[in-house]
Amino acid sequence: MQDNAISHRPWKNNQLTARSDSLRLGVALGGGGARGYAHIGILQVLEEAGITAGAVAGTSSGALVGAVYAGGGLDRLVAESTQIRLLDVPRMLSPSWSLRGIFTGNNAIEWLSGLIGRETFDDLDIPFVALATDVDTGESVVLRDGPVSSAVRASISIPGLFTPIHRDGRILVDGGLVDPLPVAAARDLGAGFVIAVDLFGDAATVAPPPKDDEPGALDTTLNYIRGFLPAETEEPANNNRRHGPNVLEAIERSMIITQHGLTQARLARYPADFRFEPPVAEIGALDFHRAREGIEIGRETARRELPALRDALERHRRRHTGLRGLFHRTIDAIRR
């Protein structure tokens, strides 16, 4: 481990702490659908640099990657996700034919469960929480116990796109509706220094990605669904934007616009100590066949920002060690 790395995996059990360990590193992984592949690349580079998370909080796709990372399955996730082809995407999403949501995500969750390799939160190597939203109350729900796979499934349940999840007497949907970048949740796990990965930080993420001549995951998935519909309900495939977005594009665009603004608001209230903003604007929410590209974007971003992160970690260490650290810890304790 590098000398200036803040450590590390202090707990076997996933117990929350009311007090922060000033030298414990936490990672907050934001939502963004397939853009979340960038999380993988960033975590890889951090591990290679000896900077290892002692707590992980994730929302939506950040919950998916975070759960796999906390279970020690990141290498398996890379190996399997890079094998996903464009035509695999609609089958993974599992059309539901329900008014509650277009997809169930059952095949994807079955796949994910094998990658995590751990059934419950207590089995994970690193303290981890997933964020979801109670659709009845609008409250942010921090999922920290019980089956990991159902917690992740709740966290990724984009309304209208995925059917909601019933868990612990609540109806849960995507955590990004309330907390798209869970910095506060990472601090509640005891982290004194929080690295956030913001998939909507780049202003370019709000603009629609350019339309290619080749169909992407949205078009392919919509065409897959059309194949099961009666002929009279079908609409001609048309990529001309003057006709407006189709239903999947509308849901994706709504998610992007909403989460971009909400993320900025949440960061203003709960700032991270360091933030990565990988440029993933051209990866669509359902582009799960673009793992190699997303992972490499994350790796490039982390490599580019690594010197600045090391400096921030060293400043934080100096601030919280020795007599000066004792002074700051005392002030923090008084404020709490």
Side-chain angles (χ1 to χ4, degrees), residues 75-88:
D75 289 342
R76 294 194 302 274
L77 178 58
V78 172
E80 296 204 17
S81 62
T82 52
Q83 300 302 311
I84 297 173
R85 301 165 301 167
L86 177 60
L87 294 178
D88 294 328

Side-chain angles (χ1 to χ4, degrees), residues 246-268:
N246 61 48
V247 62
L248 296 182
E249 289 173 331
I251 292 172
E252 179 188 44
R253 296 290 305 129
S254 299
M255 179 190 74
I256 289 171
I257 293 168
T258 301
Q259 294 205 359
H260 175 76
L262 183 56
T263 297
Q264 305 316 307
R266 293 287 297 183
L267 282 171

Side-chain angles (χ1 to χ4, degrees), residues 57-75:
T59 294
S60 199
S61 60
L64 189 156
V65 174
V68 174
Y69 177 74
L74 202 62
D75 289 342

Side-chain angles (χ1 to χ4, degrees), residues 239-317:
N239 286 338
N240 192 331
R241 292 199 62 83
R242 67 185 178 85
H243 292 281
N246 61 48
V247 62
L248 296 182
E249 289 173 331
I251 292 172
E252 179 188 44
R253 296 290 305 129
S254 299
M255 179 190 74
I256 289 171
I257 293 168
T258 301
Q259 294 205 359
H260 175 76
L262 183 56
T263 297
Q264 305 316 307
R266 293 287 297 183
L267 282 171
R269 185 175 181 183
Y270 303 105
D273 297 288
F274 193 86
R275 177 163 48 143
F276 288 112
E277 297 179 352
V280 288
E282 294 192 5
I283 296 179
L286 298 184
D287 285 347
F288 294 107
H289 60 296
R290 299 173 68 180
R292 293 183 190 278
E293 181 181 350
I295 292 169
E296 186 54 35
I297 289 173
R299 291 186 62 84
E300 290 176 358
T301 300
R303 285 194 292 260
R304 183 173 61 250
E305 298 294 333
L306 194 57
L309 174 59
R310 289 192 187 282
D311 289 345
L313 289 170
E314 184 57 34
R315 289 194 301 271
H316 182 82
R317 183 185 293 281

